[in-house]
Amino acid sequence: HRRLAREGIDPEQLAHKQASIMRDMVGVCAECSMTRRCRRDLDRQGIRSVHHQYCPNAETIEALRQGSDPLS
């Protein structure tokens, strides 16, 4: 949820409008081996995120951020 919010995506709205995408993203996140790095990255306010280098949800987040449907 923090990553989505930081990228300008409302996690509650996403869960309501595109529940399957949110569910998939949560599952990917739960299995990720980079959670500590992600948490540190999120805790650094004002520093540009580099999550696209390690996050398995990065492409989905980018598609959502740009307003496209990541399933298409």
Side-chain angles (χ1 to χ4, degrees):
H1 287 117
R2 286 176 65 197
R3 172 70 61 208
L4 291 172
R6 186 150 187 202
E7 296 298 320
I9 301 164
D10 182 341
E12 298 302 321
Q13 186 177 17
L14 179 62
H16 179 70
K17 291 186 175 185
Q18 296 178 301
S20 63
I21 292 172
M22 186 63 154
R23 211 173 18 256
D24 289 347
M25 290 179 70
V26 168
V28 168
C29 219
E31 297 294 322
C32 184
S33 64
M34 301 300 284
T35 55
R36 292 178 76 188
R37 182 176 181 183
C38 185
R39 205 171 301 124
R40 280 193 314 267
D41 184 30
L42 287 167
D43 287 342
R44 294 181 185 149
Q45 296 298 322
I47 297 176
R48 180 152 166 78
S49 174
V50 294
H51 75 279
H52 59 277
Q53 295 175 355
Y54 62 84
C55 178
N57 277 321
E59 288 183 33
T60 303
I61 292 169
E62 185 59 24
L64 290 167
R65 205 172 65 70
Q66 292 181 9
S68 61
D69 185 346
L71 297 177
S72 58

